[in-house]
Amino acid sequence: MIDLHTHILPELDDGSQDMEDSLEMCALALEGGVDTIVATPHSNQLGRFENFHSEQLEQRFSLLKQAIAEEQLPIQLFLGMEIFASDDLEEKIRDGMLISLNHSRYYLIEFPFDALPWQIGEELEQIFAAGGIPLIAHPERYFCVQEQPALVYQWLQLGCLTQINKGSPLGRFGRHAAHTAEFLLANRLVTCVAS
């Protein structure tokens, strides 16, 4: 299996705190049947987790790849980022500050939980304008989707993809996210599930 959304790079965000954490996360992934991981640190959260594409980010990624090889863990690791939506996405993508999943056309995009549908729509359009395809992170956790799950169908019709969190149907993010995830799964509105 492939996990497209992980906070596995050490010391960059609210995920792995150090290299030991990262290697433990890799071992747990292997136990669960995952052999390919995309490292997607939170990015574009100004004043919190900026993590724009940089030499430091690439170095942190290379160090984890090296540690995985040294531990002889059969994991393939690729780089991406979980991009927090903003009104300058197109510009930041074109400037190379925000990167896609493994140099593909797919950009993992996250919205504030209280984002309004029109705001989400405008920011999705920026990714399309930059030549990318949005992969919407955990739509089941957005309040507007919990109230109107059919919004996800509209985004899929635009050409977006969706990723729910594996913990959502299990109730890890509350009953509203669980019910919404179950609805999206039952109606085939989920492209992939990630950790």
Side-chain angles (χ1 to χ4, degrees):
M1 285 190 291
I2 299 169
D3 194 342
L4 293 175
H5 180 175
T6 66
H7 299 288
I8 199 167
L9 290 184
E11 302 173 44
L12 284 180
D13 58 17
D14 56 358
S16 172
Q17 297 304 299
D18 54 33
M19 190 62 75
E20 187 177 326
D21 274 357
S22 297
L23 292 172
E24 187 175 327
M25 291 167 77
C26 287
L28 288 170
L30 282 167
E31 285 177 23
V34 173
D35 61 7
T36 304
I37 294 175
V38 183
T40 54
H42 285 293
S43 67
N44 202 36
Q45 290 186 13
L46 302 184
R48 187 167 184 226
F49 302 126
E50 296 186 5
N51 293 325
F52 296 115
H53 188 233
S54 65
E55 189 175 313
Q56 178 197 11
L57 183 66
E58 291 282 352
Q59 181 181 33
R60 195 68 55 94
F61 171 70
S62 294
L63 287 172
L64 179 55
K65 272 188 95 159
Q66 181 181 344
I68 289 169
E70 287 170 2
E71 292 294 318
Q72 299 182 346
L73 296 171
I75 290 268
Q76 289 188 52
L77 185 68
F78 298 100
L79 184 59
M81 51 180 51
E82 181 183 16
I83 301 166
F84 193 74
S86 61
D87 59 8
D88 57 355
L89 288 176
E90 181 181 0
E91 177 184 341
K92 287 178 176 173
I93 290 170
R94 293 191 187 281
D95 288 347
M97 296 172 68
L98 301 174
I99 60 171
S100 61
L101 303 176
N102 190 34
H103 309 290
S104 67
R105 292 180 58 207
Y106 300 96
Y107 289 83
L108 182 64
I109 181 81
E110 173 185 33
F111 298 93
F113 294 139
D114 62 352
L116 298 173
W118 67 266
Q119 293 170 314
I120 292 174
E122 285 185 359
E123 288 157 353
L124 293 173
E125 285 299 329
Q126 287 193 56
I127 295 175
F128 285 121
I133 298 170
L135 172 57
I136 302 170
H138 44 66
E140 75 280 7
R141 297 177 66 189
Y142 304 139
F143 303 149
C144 65
V145 173
Q146 292 173 359
E147 292 169 10
Q148 295 178 273
L151 288 168
V152 174
Y153 178 76
Q154 296 172 20
W155 298 332
L156 289 168
Q157 290 297 104
L158 290 174
C160 299
L161 304 175
T162 58
Q163 171 262 304
I164 66 167
N165 288 352
K166 76 174 184 179
S168 290
L170 304 174
R172 182 169 174 213
F173 301 102
R175 63 183 173 87
H176 295 298
H179 292 310
T180 306
E182 289 167 8
F183 177 89
L184 297 177
L185 286 164
N187 288 280
R188 299 176 180 256
L189 299 175
V190 176
T191 308
C192 63
V193 179
S195 67

